Amino acid sequence: QFPLVESGGGLVQAGESLTLSCVHSGFTVEEDSIGWFRQAPGKEREAIACIGTITGIMYFSDSVKGRFTVSADGQRDTVYLQMDGLLPEDTALYYCAGRKGRGCTSYNILYGSWGQGTQVTVSS
């Protein structure tokens, strides 16, 4: 059983949008951090963005700045990743991860809980 559950992935065409959701049981963005990461085949896991205590919202990847937006709904224990203007190079398995009691960081090893991921595929 995973304490974080992602959803919302799918197959879209370049230029279209998707919104990913992460239900983060046992975490709050007021006291913890929820990060978004992605991993494409043959590549290392990449930090995209995060929302959490102390640091607020941070974007780690220059390639998504201006196109991706992180937000949170505390009542639903859900963090969203709104992805606009999707490009084929955005194709990857997208994960959310939780970091207990700490602010955002791009270092994936500092997140103790992970979801199973949701696949995003962007066709050209």
Side-chain angles (χ1 to χ4, degrees):
Q1 185 177 359
F2 290 83
L4 293 95
V5 180
E6 307 94 338
S7 63
L11 171 63
V12 297
Q13 293 188 332
E16 293 184 340
S17 300
L18 277 176
T19 299
L20 306 184
S21 300
C22 171
V23 179
H24 49 85
S25 303
F27 294 88
T28 72
V29 297
E30 290 79 15
E31 297 180 346
D32 312 305
S33 296
I34 302 296
W36 283 101
F37 296 79
R38 67 184 180 186
Q39 189 164 18
K43 294 188 176 181
E44 293 186 354
R45 192 164 295 187
E46 176 190 19
I48 302 172
C50 178
I51 181 170
T53 186
I54 302 172
T55 54
I57 295 175
M58 299 182 70
Y59 294 95
F60 302 120
S61 172
D62 288 339
S63 67
V64 308
K65 287 179 182 176
R67 298 190 298 123
F68 289 12
T69 305
V70 174
S71 63
D73 183 338
Q75 290 190 334
R76 292 183 167 82
D77 284 345
T78 302
V79 169
Y80 303 96
L81 182 67
Q82 171 72 35
M83 306 186 294
D84 298 318
L86 283 162
L87 304 169
E89 49 263 45
D90 294 319
T91 295
L93 188 60
Y94 283 70
Y95 299 90
C96 63
R99 189 179 190 213
K100 204 66 175 166
R102 299 281 188 169
C104 290
T105 176
S106 61
Y107 294 99
N108 59 48
I109 62 171
L110 296 180
Y111 291 80
S113 299
W114 291 79
Q116 288 187 289
T118 185
Q119 178 68 38
V120 172
T121 303
V122 185
S123 63
S124 56

